[in-house]
Amino acid sequence: MNYKHIGQENSKKGETNTNSEPSLTRRNFLRNSSTASVGAGLIVTSKTALGQEGPDKGNKVRCGIIGYGDEGKALRESSMFLKDLVCFPAVSDIWPRNLRAGKGQIAASKQGGGEDGSICNDYAEPEEMIKKEKLDCIIVATPDFVHHKYSIMGMEAGLDVYSEKLMSNSVDFARQMVKSQQKTGKLLQIGHQRRSNPRYRHVKNEIIEKRKLLGWITHMTAQWNRSRGGSVPREIPQGKDALTDEILQKYGYNGGAKGMFEFRNWRMYKKFGGGIISDLGAHQIDIFNWLLDEYPVSIFAQGGTDYYTGEFLNDLLTSEVKEAMAKTKSKKRKAKLEAELKLVEQVMDGYEHADNVMAFFEYQTKRDKWGTKGGAGDTLKTRAYYQVLTTSSSQKFYEKFMGEYGTMSISELTEYNQIYREAHAEPWEELANGETPVVEKNLAKEEIYHKFWEQPAPWRSIDKAKNDKWLSGKSLTDARVSKGLDPWEIPSHTQFDERPHTPHLRNFFETVRDRGSQDDLNCPAIEGFRTTVTCMKIHDALANGGKLEFKPEEFEV
Amino acid sequence: MKNPFIVASALIIPILVATAQDTDKSKWKDVGIDFPKPMFVGTPVAAKLPNLDKSKKPRLVLKAPEGAENLALDMEVTSSDPEPIIGDLEMICDGDKDGADGSYTELGPGKQWVQVDLEEEANLYGIVVWHFHKNARAYIDVIAQISNDPEFKTGVTNVFNNDHDNSFGKGAGKDLAWIETNHGRIFDVGSKKARYIRLLSNGNTANEMNHYVEIEVYGTR
């Protein structure tokens, strides 16, 4: 699977394009052949421990979870919709608080092993879980810097692996993961879950590729703006929830209060994570790559640790504890706060990674992809801007694709799913027919949904006549002010009631169950690697301060 | 011997006066609930309930007679799940309402309750509850009850009930479910006497677990 930029010779990009729904993927083939096998009385044997116990013997994938923090928990909860497909007979976490939660929640929700799903064995050592348990696969939901360690450990032990994104905070570690996958032949899916989201898949397959409703996508923007409340460091646990220095240091952290702070706030540190570009940006930058089926040719970026400096955070954390101490009337809480103050006073760390990033990418695409008459030559540009902030949640997070015929906003947030037709584009009315229309028009919902100022909803609601006049272009203040775009929606049949991660997990577990290959995965390791390369280059661009080129070989393992 | 009528009056009149003050709501004052800072993180999960309050206008004021305070602080908390999965029961009435990870208690899945013992009967005016408010979610079948019976078999009054389909068998409630925020939820009690407060829930829209960050009970002794 060699990647080359568009226009480079011997491009084999087509080999990795497994995202087109109508095509006969290996997964579809396996499903069909599996059904045929049952009908023919053939016995499908298990390659590992698949379904050796439990109520759905022979069907359930046995998965161990490594890392039961927020993300491990989210993946377990997302799998509540997949109870017939997967069980979690074991969980591992180095932190007892997470481990207690994992064991308790899995057992209580009957997602574990055993006849009634109530058995979940807990392991402080991930390695011990891999060795002792009869598993088919593992989920790796640890801090970024050990994704490779446990993914490779799992694959070498014969297990398929679902690793959280960003694949790693090191391109070299990510490359090692791909090589291990190739060597072992095990599955390695990376957790860029939008690739499995029915809404995103509809947009890619139907709206952009098949119908070409946006035409040539000339520009893409995306943002993830997170509030200060969601960006300040987490508390330093005390008492039974504190890790010993021995454990902290064994797993790469400092000891004492500083080590516990690092452990709880690993996303701040270069050693442990990829920063906000990994935590937030990776999802959306991956969508840039995925929707275009391309990787950028250049980047420049600005950003830095402007706000969450060590001085600021130390002052913020200590003052918050002092404020709570002054306010509380609870003797028990006051004692806890006094102990907490002694801990936070020792921490002087700020964000090592940038706390705000604004990055510009340049992509190149083939003219044939769009069928456009614009521009010149066979190679066309798509320029992209990405923004991630941690001091404001203004407009939250979404991706926006602007083409010559239309503009589309999409997000995991269901309120951001609009598509707008340019005045000169062909009519879309016929595409809104049938049970599964390509686009929808629901005028009753316009006031709610169309928030991106393509149509001025507040004016319309106040003075319809004035708004109609504005839309018709009769009250323009400038002769070249454009007419508002025609508002449509991404159709409601692409909505789903499951969690955002559920379809991506289903894709992985079904591929494990059906004994599929990397090509059946919606985000195989090589794709996750290429997004890692794209994202980690942002850090280089921030340090460099200028425009950096991506070389095609950077996207190869 | 003192006139028994005078002795009786001396005992009764203050109570009558107190009751008059209690019931004259025009004289009630804002108890001044101290709300924690907002904290929304993570991938949001859409909350779909038939009885969801979509007003998005938080109620910030609970009024009660002069002198009303949070009687639940540091009081004993018991539960249908005596060994919480995360946290401890005592954290539910410790004054820490923060949305952070170390501030909440997680009970098992499905139908669960927590109960606060005020140690003696008190005049109650309002209850405030903060479930888990770090992510947007709504808790299901929330009922708030007061009673002087620790087993809640007799003399039970429902002061809030959004169990619209009577899952708990405590009667179908018409109150609305709500999306959790740092503003918690205020339940009016009116002016009633009770020693015990019990809050019930049946999981939430993000998962099947039950969580409590803090319960406050405003009243006078």
Side-chain angles (χ1 to χ4, degrees):
Chain A
M1 293 187 188
N2 297 316
Y3 172 72
K4 293 191 182 300
H5 290 314
I6 194 73
Q8 297 283 326
E9 291 181 0
N10 302 320
S11 173
K12 297 181 180 177
K13 186 67 190 71
E15 289 183 7
T16 61
N17 182 11
T18 61
N19 300 310
S20 180
E21 293 288 16
S23 67
L24 181 61
T25 64
R26 181 171 164 77
R27 180 170 66 256
N28 292 336
F29 171 76
L30 282 164
R31 281 177 185 153
N32 294 335
S33 61
S34 174
T35 305
S37 297
V38 171
L42 299 177
I43 297 172
V44 179
T45 57
S46 171
K47 60 176 177 177
T48 60
L50 186 59
Q52 287 190 351
E53 61 178 72
D56 287 317
K57 187 175 180 180
N59 290 322
K60 277 194 183 182
V61 170
R62 291 169 60 83
C63 181
I65 299 176
I66 298 178
Y68 199 79
D70 283 353
E71 200 56 36
K73 184 181 172 192
L75 296 177
R76 194 277 302 170
E77 289 178 357
S78 300
S79 301
M80 283 291 289
F81 299 87
L82 308 173
K83 275 188 164 181
D84 292 336
L85 177 62
V86 62
C87 63
F88 301 105
V91 62
S92 171
D93 198 296
I94 67 169
W95 193 22
R97 189 163 98 185
N98 279 350
L99 196 54
R100 283 197 304 275
K103 181 182 173 71
Q105 291 174 353
I106 290 168
S109 59
K110 309 293 186 195
Q111 287 178 277
E115 282 300 316
D116 66 351
S118 64
I119 295 175
C120 181
N121 299 321
D122 55 330
Y123 295 87
E125 296 266 3
E127 190 170 4
E128 187 184 0
M129 183 189 81
I130 289 173
K131 283 180 179 173
K132 286 188 175 178
E133 292 286 332
K134 289 182 178 177
L135 301 171
D136 298 298
C137 58
I138 53 172
I139 283 174
V140 177
T142 61
D144 296 350
F145 79 118
V146 281
H147 283 172
H148 74 293
K149 176 181 175 181
Y150 296 119
S151 295
I152 293 171
M153 187 186 292
M155 286 187 285
E156 290 187 344
L159 305 178
D160 296 321
V161 175
Y162 181 109
S163 172
E164 259 307 328
K165 63 82 206 167
L166 186 65
M167 200 165 173
S168 177
N169 60 334
S170 152
V171 170
D172 187 49
F173 287 165
R175 185 179 288 111
Q176 288 176 31
M177 290 168 73
V178 179
K179 285 184 174 176
S180 176
Q181 185 283 316
Q182 291 170 340
K183 178 184 161 192
T184 62
K186 305 310 296 182
L187 298 173
L188 177 55
Q189 167 107 307
I190 307 303
H192 293 289
Q193 76 270 3
R194 282 168 175 75
R195 288 180 180 235
S196 296
N197 184 312
R199 218 163 50 237
Y200 280 80
R201 294 182 76 78
H202 177 83
V203 159
K204 177 177 171 62
N205 296 328
E206 289 291 325
I207 292 178
I208 292 178
E209 293 184 354
K210 186 175 178 181
R211 311 285 180 171
K212 297 184 178 3
L213 294 191
L214 304 186
W216 168 18
I217 296 177
T218 55
H219 296 86
M220 308 185 288
T221 65
Q223 69 168 47
W224 196 311
N225 289 350
R226 190 174 66 188
S227 68
R228 203 180 90 159
S231 305
V232 295
R234 296 180 171 192
E235 89 292 357
I236 305 175
Q238 307 171 48
K240 67 178 182 181
D241 284 340
L243 283 168
T244 64
D245 287 358
E246 183 185 357
I247 295 292
L248 285 168
Q249 289 164 356
K250 178 180 176 181
Y251 288 98
Y253 304 92
N254 282 296
K258 178 175 169 55
M260 202 63 213
F261 183 84
E262 288 172 350
F263 173 72
R264 292 289 287 138
N265 299 287
W266 58 267
R267 295 170 193 272
M268 289 169 46
Y269 297 89
K270 292 179 179 177
K271 179 181 176 183
F272 306 122
I276 52 177
I277 284 297
S278 167
D279 301 337
L280 307 175
H283 282 304
Q284 298 165 299
I285 292 167
D286 180 64
I287 289 301
F288 284 170
N289 293 348
W290 178 68
L291 271 185
L292 291 188
D293 283 324
E294 289 296 344
Y295 301 91
V297 295
S298 71
I299 177 181
F300 69 91
Q302 284 203 352
T305 305
D306 301 337
Y307 193 84
Y308 297 101
T309 61
E311 186 179 10
F312 167 68
L313 287 180
N314 181 267
D315 180 63
L316 178 74
L317 297 176
T318 54
S319 62
E320 281 184 347
V321 176
K322 287 176 183 173
E323 186 183 330
M325 286 171 63
K327 206 183 288 181
T328 188
K329 294 174 182 173
S330 167
K331 291 178 182 175
K332 293 177 189 172
R333 176 153 164 73
K334 190 160 190 174
K336 282 184 183 176
L337 289 168
E338 284 172 352
E340 186 178 344
L341 182 62
K342 289 177 183 173
L343 295 178
V344 297
E345 282 177 338
Q346 299 175 46
V347 178
M348 293 298 296
D349 293 348
Y351 273 40
E352 279 186 3
H353 280 297
D355 59 27
N356 72 101
V357 175
M358 296 176 171
F360 289 86
F361 296 99
E362 180 187 325
Y363 289 79
Q364 293 180 351
T365 57
K366 278 286 190 187
R367 174 177 293 279
D368 292 350
K369 180 178 182 65
W370 309 115
T372 182
K373 294 179 180 176
D378 287 339
T379 301
L380 301 175
K381 291 186 192 305
T382 296
R383 300 185 192 276
Y385 167 72
Y386 184 71
Q387 166 185 307
V388 54
L389 308 181
T390 53
T391 47
S392 168
S393 59
S394 172
Q395 295 188 349
K396 296 179 269 191
F397 54 93
Y398 64 89
E399 301 93 56
K400 188 172 184 179
F401 301 90
M402 286 160 280
E404 58 192 321
Y405 299 131
T407 286
M408 178 183 65
S409 304
I410 187 168
S411 171
E412 276 190 332
L413 298 171
T414 52
E415 64 260 39
Y416 292 155
N417 287 283
Q418 303 87 28
I419 179 167
Y420 300 92
R421 188 182 65 85
E422 291 282 345
H424 64 271
E426 294 293 321
W428 291 355
E429 272 70 12
E430 285 189 5
L431 300 173
N433 297 329
E435 290 185 3
T436 56
V438 179
V439 291
E440 275 181 1
K441 200 166 187 63
N442 189 341
L443 295 173
K445 291 181 178 177
E446 274 186 42
E447 300 286 346
I448 300 169
Y449 284 121
H450 296 284
K451 294 178 177 176
F452 277 85
W453 310 300
E454 303 291 2
Q455 299 287 348
W459 300 353
R460 178 169 60 243
S461 63
I462 295 168
D463 187 342
K464 188 175 184 308
K466 184 178 179 182
N467 185 60
D468 287 346
K469 189 178 178 183
W470 187 89
L471 287 174
S472 68
K474 292 178 181 175
S475 64
L476 302 181
T477 54
D478 184 294
R480 293 185 64 84
V481 171
S482 302
K483 187 180 177 183
L485 303 190
D486 181 20
W488 293 73
E489 293 178 10
I490 298 167
S492 52
H493 68 79
T494 63
Q495 300 280 7
F496 59 109
D497 289 332
E498 299 169 334
R499 303 292 163 76
H501 297 90
T502 306
H504 206 49
L505 288 163
R506 179 184 287 110
N507 167 246
F508 173 69
F509 292 131
E510 284 186 347
T511 308
V512 174
R513 181 196 65 189
D514 297 345
R515 299 200 286 164
S517 74
Q518 284 294 99
D519 289 344
D520 301 313
L521 298 175
N522 288 336
C523 189
I526 187 66
E527 296 287 305
F529 170 76
R530 288 166 177 165
T531 292
T532 304
V533 170
T534 312
C535 290
M536 293 306 290
K537 193 89 165 184
I538 293 177
H539 296 302
D540 298 337
L542 289 174
N544 177 284
K547 183 177 175 181
L548 297 180
E549 305 288 333
F550 287 94
K551 296 174 184 171
E553 55 266 32
E554 289 181 65
F555 295 100
E556 300 304 326
V557 291
Chain B
M1 183 181 178
K2 294 180 180 177
N3 185 327
F5 175 76
I6 295 173
V7 173
S9 300
L11 291 171
I12 293 168
I13 288 172
I15 297 171
L16 290 175
V17 170
T19 303
Q21 287 177 341
D22 286 357
T23 53
D24 185 359
K25 292 187 176 180
S26 66
K27 294 182 179 176
W28 287 13
K29 294 181 178 177
D30 182 5
V31 299
I33 299 166
D34 182 26
F35 295 102
K37 291 175 181 170
M39 181 185 279
F40 269 8
V41 295
T43 306
V45 175
K48 294 181 180 177
L49 291 174
N51 59 342
L52 191 63
D53 181 358
K54 297 178 180 175
S55 65
K56 296 184 177 179
K57 291 178 182 175
R59 179 181 162 188
L60 306 176
V61 175
L62 169 65
K63 289 188 175 181
E66 185 82 42
E69 58 180 347
N70 175 22
L71 304 178
L73 191 66
D74 287 343
M75 292 292 112
E76 184 183 29
V77 179
T78 53
S79 172
S80 53
D81 183 359
E83 294 184 2
I85 296 170
I86 297 173
D88 299 308
L89 293 175
E90 70 174 28
M91 291 164 59
I92 296 173
C93 289
D94 69 351
D96 179 6
K97 308 166 200 171
D98 202 68
D101 287 349
S103 300
Y104 70 92
T105 301
E106 179 175 83
L107 309 179
K111 297 172 186 172
Q112 303 286 353
W113 54 260
V114 293
Q115 184 170 315
V116 183
D117 178 2
L118 300 180
E119 296 183 340
E120 60 184 348
E121 185 184 73
N123 304 305
L124 307 184
Y125 305 100
I127 299 167
V128 194
V129 61
W130 287 263
H131 292 116
F132 187 76
H133 59 85
K134 185 173 151 184
N135 305 134
R137 60 178 64 174
Y139 284 79
I140 299 166
D141 299 336
V142 175
I143 302 173
Q145 301 178 313
I146 60 172
S147 178
N148 277 324
D149 177 3
E151 297 183 356
F152 277 75
K153 291 180 178 174
T154 60
V156 178
T157 302
N158 288 356
V159 297
F160 182 90
N161 185 350
N162 68 23
D163 180 8
H164 67 97
D165 56 0
N166 198 21
S167 299
F168 271 107
K170 310 287 184 188
K174 294 184 178 178
D175 293 311
L176 297 178
W178 71 96
I179 299 292
E180 291 293 333
T181 70
N182 61 312
H183 295 117
R185 200 68 164 186
I186 299 169
F187 306 144
D188 286 312
V189 176
S191 178
K192 297 184 177 66
K193 292 177 181 292
R195 172 174 169 174
Y196 302 98
I197 294 86
R198 182 177 281 196
L199 268 68
L200 302 87
S201 60
N202 188 10
N204 66 86
T205 53
N207 57 51
E208 65 281 38
M209 302 298 175
N210 297 275
H211 307 93
Y212 291 88
V213 169
E214 190 73 9
I215 295 172
E216 291 186 337
V217 180
Y218 285 89
T220 56
R221 296 198 186 275

